[in-house]
């Protein structure tokens, strides 16, 4: 039995998608990918971005938009309602496009640490500056995301959810490089054990969905993510450094799936499938793993979200990931 909810030679998207036509984005995701996903369309405005979309999932923790960004508020308002309306439309569209679908389906939400570094407290600094507030945020997110996954399961009964937590801010949280709300200072580094515990709270709430953590910034803490319970990591191949490979190798050896970004997220001339697949094949060879495992354990994706691309390029990039994934199965190297 396959330990992953997808078959060999799989590709998927990361999250964001260009334009404001959610139905077209969904049809592309389901038409081009072995593992379709629920796209985010930030071009629609307030509440459609990664932070606002996830803020709409929070339970009993309303937020609003201020000139500086999202901030905790006393009561739900217009900004939060916009986020909820966007998500509801997307889920209605998903239900229509995915009718009769069976197989893996990826959904995304912002992880607790990136969210804590982006949302401000009612009267001051970023939520990340208050450990108690981070704990409350984490519990609220865990409950809200659990409800969201249940809603997706209800709407697409044949889906096997893969839930991606977007944590581009996690390396900075651990390094102490996240700036204060004023921009003049930096918030203290978070202890890796605390980071692990909060991440685990959210990951545990997703069961039995397959949890992965995505980070398109350099320095993803593979050990923290893996020991928090993530069963997959999603990274940009171009961001990996040789010093990351020991930690990545340990994660892969433990069965962690690798979602590897192999095509740029903005318009460019796409190379042929062999060139697209090459970073995955060469990384696998350097790590010393059997070629036979490559196509099952590695999923190909764009390097990051596609919001900055043209719709035509976004569709072509997803198709190229799908085609390159077949190379992992048919010519994995020796």
């Amino acid at each position: 039995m396959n330990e992953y909810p997808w078959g060999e030679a799989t590709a998927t998207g990361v999250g964001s998608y260009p334009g404001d036509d959610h139905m077209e984005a969904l049809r592309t995701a389901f038409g081009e990918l072995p593992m379709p996903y629920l796209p985010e369309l930030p071009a629609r405005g307030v509440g459609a971005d990664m932070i606002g979309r996830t803020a709409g999932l929070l339970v009993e923790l309303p937020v609003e938009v201020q000139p500086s960004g999202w901030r905790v508020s006393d009561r739900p308002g217009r900004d939060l309602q916009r986020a909820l309306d966007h998500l509801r439309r997307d889920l209605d569209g998903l239900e229509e496009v995915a009718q009769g679908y069976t197989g893996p389906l990826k959904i995304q939400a912002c992880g607790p640490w990136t969210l804590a570094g982006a949302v401000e407290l009612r009267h001051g600094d970023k939520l990340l500056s208050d450990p108690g507030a981070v704990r409350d945020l984490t519990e609220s997110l865990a409950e809200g995301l659990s409800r969201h996954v249940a809603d997706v399961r209800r709407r697409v009964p044949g889906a096997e959810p893969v839930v991606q937590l977007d944590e581009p801010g996690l390396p900075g949280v651990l390094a102490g490089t996240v700036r204060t709300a004023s921009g003049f200072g930096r918030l203290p580094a978070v202890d890796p054990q605390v980071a692990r515990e909060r991440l685990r709270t959210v990951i545990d709430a997703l069961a039995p969905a397959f949890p992965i953590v995505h980070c398109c910034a350099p320095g993803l803490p593979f050990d923290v993510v893996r020991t928090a319970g993530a069963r997959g990591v999603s990274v940009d191949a171009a961001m990996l450094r040789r010093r990351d490979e020991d930690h990545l190798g340990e994660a892969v050896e433990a069965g962690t799936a690798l979602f590897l970004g192999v095509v740029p997220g903005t318009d460019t001339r796409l190379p042929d499938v062999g060139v697209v697949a090459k970073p995955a094949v060469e990384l696998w060879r350097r790590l010393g793993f059997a070629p036979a495992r490559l196509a099952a354990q590695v999923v190909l994706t764009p390097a990051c979200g596609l919001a900055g691309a043209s719709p035509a390029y976004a569709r072509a990039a997803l198709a190229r990931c799908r085609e390159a994934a077949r190379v992992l199965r048919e010519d994995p190297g020796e």
Side-chain angles (χ1 to χ4, degrees):
M1 179 179 176
N2 192 353
E3 59 186 306
Y4 310 110
W6 56 84
E8 290 191 343
T10 291
T12 190
V14 172
S16 66
Y17 198 83
D20 57 9
D21 187 340
H22 68 289
M23 293 301 292
E24 178 60 25
L26 279 163
R27 282 191 284 266
T28 299
F30 276 81
E32 299 291 349
L33 295 166
M35 187 193 305
Y37 70 112
L38 180 62
E40 302 162 358
L41 278 69
R44 293 180 297 184
V46 171
D49 60 296
M50 179 179 75
I51 302 299
R53 190 177 183 89
T54 304
L57 299 174
L58 296 174
V59 176
E60 296 180 1
L61 190 63
V63 295
E64 62 186 2
V65 175
Q66 295 291 331
S68 57
W70 288 92
R71 178 178 289 182
V72 175
S73 61
D74 294 324
R75 63 186 63 85
R78 181 178 58 187
D79 301 324
L80 193 57
Q81 189 57 52
R82 284 178 180 166
L84 292 171
D85 289 345
H86 285 313
L87 182 58
R88 191 175 298 113
R89 276 193 293 272
D90 289 350
L91 289 171
D92 288 345
L94 173 68
E95 189 172 359
E96 179 181 334
V97 172
Q99 193 166 13
Y101 175 77
T102 58
L105 171 63
K106 188 168 75 66
I107 58 178
Q108 308 81 227
C110 191
W113 290 108
T114 299
L115 197 61
V119 177
E120 295 179 4
L121 295 161
R122 284 183 182 85
H123 307 295
D125 213 333
K126 292 181 177 177
L127 203 146
L128 181 61
S129 66
D130 183 337
V134 173
R135 183 182 60 248
D136 292 344
L137 173 76
T138 299
E139 292 172 355
S140 173
L141 177 60
E143 183 176 349
L145 197 47
S146 175
R147 294 180 184 181
H148 179 47
V149 174
D151 190 14
V152 170
R153 284 183 177 277
R154 180 181 60 80
R155 291 169 178 268
V156 191
E160 296 184 65
V162 175
V163 183
Q164 172 183 304
L165 297 177
D166 289 312
E167 283 285 16
L170 182 56
V173 166
L174 293 172
T177 59
V178 178
R179 294 199 173 274
T180 57
S182 69
F184 295 118
R186 296 188 179 190
L187 297 173
V190 170
D191 183 88
Q193 180 60 30
V194 175
R196 181 182 297 112
E197 289 170 1
R198 298 288 174 260
L199 200 52
R200 179 174 283 282
T201 295
V202 177
I203 287 173
D204 285 351
L206 302 176
F210 191 97
I212 73 171
V213 170
H214 167 72
C215 180
C216 52
L220 176 67
F222 291 100
D223 294 349
V224 170
V225 167
R226 178 174 61 84
T227 54
R231 297 183 63 194
V233 293
S234 172
V235 295
D236 176 357
M239 290 287 181
L240 288 175
R241 300 293 178 260
R242 290 299 174 102
R243 63 177 178 270
D244 298 322
E245 292 186 7
D246 286 345
H247 299 294
L248 175 58
E250 290 172 8
V252 170
E253 182 66 34
T256 303
L258 176 59
F259 287 59
L260 196 63
V262 290
V263 298
T266 52
D267 290 39
T268 187
R269 183 178 177 275
L270 287 168
D272 67 34
V273 292
V275 174
V276 171
K278 188 176 181 180
V281 174
E282 292 191 340
L283 174 64
W284 206 250
R285 183 183 297 123
R286 285 199 304 274
L287 294 176
F289 295 118
R293 292 174 57 186
L294 175 60
Q297 200 164 347
V298 174
V299 176
L300 298 187
T301 73
C304 208
L306 293 166
S310 66
Y313 175 82
R315 178 189 290 271
L318 295 177
R320 190 59 50 91
C321 288
R322 180 196 71 231
E323 294 158 0
R326 295 182 186 138
V327 175
L328 305 189
R329 179 180 59 199
E330 295 163 7
D331 188 18
E334 296 300 334

